[in-house]
Amino acid sequence: MKEKIIVALSGGVDSSVAAALALEAGFEVVGVTLRLKHPDPAFSSAQLCASKSDEEAIDLLVRKLGIEHHYLEGFDRFREQVLLPAANEYVSGRTPNPCCNCNLLVKFGMLVDFAEQIGAAQVVTGHYARIAEQNNVFSLLRGDDPNKDQSYFLYRLTQRELSRLRFPVGQLRKEEVRRIAAGLGLSTAQKADSQDACFQVEGECFGETLRRLCNLESKKGRFLYQGKTVGRHNGIHLYTIGQRKGLGVALGVPGYVSAIDPESGDITLDTEEEKLLSCSFEVRNVSWQSGFPPEGDELEVQIRYRSRSVLCRIGRNGDRVTVTPAVPLRAVTPGQAAVFYRGATLLGGGLICC
RNA sequence: AACCCCAUGGUGUAACGGUAGCACAACUGGUUUUGGUCCAGUUAGUCUAGGUUCGAAUCCUGGUGGGGUUG
């Protein structure tokens, strides 16, 4: 009797290969695809998770592999748990990272629930990350392809999820994944990498889409530079710390957002990179996957996706963690995830608060 | 009202009378599971009407617009 596992299929090459590898390894594979699409056409010009062309690719793949497959409707949960909170963050002048919440609260939550429902022991996805186990404690590691590593987005996963997860492409490089897909004759082999947010309307920034969706007001105000008003903007949700593009203000040298005041709506610009550097910051809602790291441990912190992690020291400060990076970090942004690593091992993370 | 100064892409500026260039902004593309950063490329200008000159952003005259001084 083969062991039953579920594989999350997005329609992309990574999950296709993950499914194929699971089949090869001798599992009974049940494909699952989450539908997170908004029913309203005003939001459906978007390239959404599991959009129509993705579903065609998925149907083709499922037939090719000869596996059972289910769609799970997740939009309501996605809206409640991810979109609404993210929209609130944006209009409060912070920059949320909805993917981190989505992974714990929607994607892996639903997948693990479904796995339990149908009696599947494990959940396979096409993420670029790895899982290690020691004495029945699971830890998350960076994917082996440094350009594709997605562990940052998974920092909120707990032992409940990790103990059931397998990431077969986490030890591969993207080129190898494509080669495997091509070798197996999978139609997704040449498919472009998925690019936009799950919830991106063409020609509109993510914060604005969320604001419209949730019907929220955003504070408008001035651009300030060296104490002077140099322009006006249409809402603080459109801007993030360190942002250069889209300001519409010509200062003669590049200008960057250095502060957002949600009370007045004022956005402060700076032209000197040094003004954007932080020597220390606080993190809240911190979760550790196997406890607070021992004193004196050499840690690294990563403050946004695709930025390098840097050595740091951390200290407890009530229920917050104070982080002191070895080198000052540029554009530390409230609302973004600060994720801690020791080498390739992800230790935990939280939300930057100041 | 008189006198003086100024007028170059969306913004700020450069060009001895000899191919109007730079920075920022904007747009497009690359990178990207958030927002950004970063990289590459593109668009776009001599206020106006005359004159001098082989040739005018540049010199001359009038107009228009902006700033300043005087009363």
Side-chain angles (χ1 to χ4, degrees):
Chain A
M1 179 72 187
K2 288 182 176 181
E3 191 182 345
K4 188 190 271 189
I5 63 172
I6 68 174
V7 178
L9 296 177
S10 69
V13 62
D14 300 324
S15 60
S16 305
V17 167
L21 292 176
L23 266 183
E24 243 173 36
F27 291 100
E28 178 191 343
V29 171
V30 177
V32 179
T33 301
L34 301 182
R35 278 194 176 118
L36 304 177
K37 183 172 173 164
H38 195 294
D40 181 340
F43 295 97
S44 67
S45 69
Q47 301 199 337
L48 300 164
C49 272
S51 67
K52 193 150 190 202
S53 67
D54 285 333
E55 294 199 0
E56 284 166 8
I58 289 164
D59 293 343
L60 203 65
L61 176 74
V62 164
R63 255 178 283 137
K64 168 103 183 166
L65 298 178
I67 58 174
E68 181 184 334
H69 178 259
H70 303 268
Y71 284 104
L72 301 182
E73 300 301 331
F75 180 72
D76 290 341
R77 184 163 171 173
F78 183 51
R79 175 167 57 193
E80 292 307 311
Q81 304 271 357
V82 177
L83 299 180
L84 289 173
N88 270 305
E89 286 287 282
Y90 272 115
V91 299
S92 303
R94 291 182 291 271
T95 307
N97 194 325
C99 294
C100 295
N101 296 333
C102 180
N103 281 328
L104 174 69
L105 303 171
V106 179
K107 283 187 188 168
F108 288 98
M110 289 180 74
L111 290 170
V112 168
D113 289 349
F114 186 71
E116 286 181 356
Q117 251 179 58
I118 67 164
Q122 293 198 299
V123 174
V124 172
T125 76
H127 283 87
Y128 286 86
R130 289 172 295 150
I131 290 171
E133 185 251 315
Q134 197 171 24
N135 304 325
N136 219 31
V137 175
F138 294 83
S139 42
L140 188 60
L141 279 69
R142 287 190 189 274
D144 273 335
D145 186 334
N147 290 320
K148 303 301 293 184
D149 170 45
Q150 293 170 320
S151 60
Y152 178 86
F153 292 111
L154 303 176
Y155 84 93
R156 292 197 66 188
L157 299 187
T158 67
Q159 292 294 315
R160 174 175 186 247
E161 291 80 37
L162 294 180
S163 61
R164 290 167 172 82
L165 278 170
R166 298 168 75 97
F167 297 139
V169 306
Q171 49 227 330
L172 301 175
R173 298 192 162 246
K174 187 75 186 195
E175 312 85 72
E176 296 176 287
V177 172
R178 286 199 186 281
R179 210 175 309 132
I180 291 170
L184 295 171
L186 301 181
S187 57
T188 50
Q190 299 308 320
K191 212 174 159 202
D193 286 9
S194 71
Q195 294 190 347
D196 296 326
C198 299
F199 206 79
Q200 179 82 58
V201 172
E202 183 72 33
E204 182 176 75
C205 84
F206 190 55
E208 173 60 10
T209 305
L210 286 182
R211 189 201 62 77
R212 284 199 300 128
L213 176 77
C214 302
N215 244 322
L216 296 174
E217 291 288 319
S218 177
K219 188 88 183 167
K220 299 181 181 184
R222 305 174 291 177
F223 284 122
L224 300 179
Y225 176 57
Q226 295 181 339
K228 287 190 270 267
T229 301
V230 292
R232 305 198 69 80
H233 65 82
N234 281 322
I236 56 175
H237 66 299
L238 302 171
Y239 302 94
T240 187
I241 304 296
Q243 177 171 343
R244 170 181 177 180
K245 289 287 169 188
L247 305 178
V249 176
L251 298 173
V253 288
Y256 303 91
V257 172
S258 67
I260 298 172
D261 182 348
E263 300 299 319
S264 63
D266 287 346
I267 292 180
T268 305
L269 306 182
D270 260 299
T271 53
E272 297 161 57
E273 286 279 329
E274 303 87 72
K275 293 273 176 63
L276 292 166
L277 298 176
S278 301
C279 297
S280 138
F281 57 94
E282 303 250 302
V283 181
R284 65 185 160 92
N285 295 18
V286 183
S287 55
W288 299 104
Q289 291 178 333
S290 38
F292 196 92
E295 272 315 305
D297 232 21
E298 281 232 314
L299 303 189
E300 292 172 39
V301 65
Q302 182 173 336
I303 59 159
R304 61 172 70 76
Y305 181 56
R306 288 188 67 76
S307 77
R308 290 178 57 177
S309 53
V310 300
L311 283 175
C312 70
R313 284 182 298 126
I314 63 171
R316 290 182 215 250
N317 179 8
D319 55 0
R320 295 180 171 187
V321 168
T322 303
V323 183
T324 312
V327 293
L329 290 173
R330 181 186 182 279
V332 175
T333 306
Q336 290 285 286
V339 179
F340 301 101
Y341 292 86
R342 186 197 302 114
T345 305
L346 191 155
L347 303 175
L351 293 179
I352 296 167
C353 49
C354 56

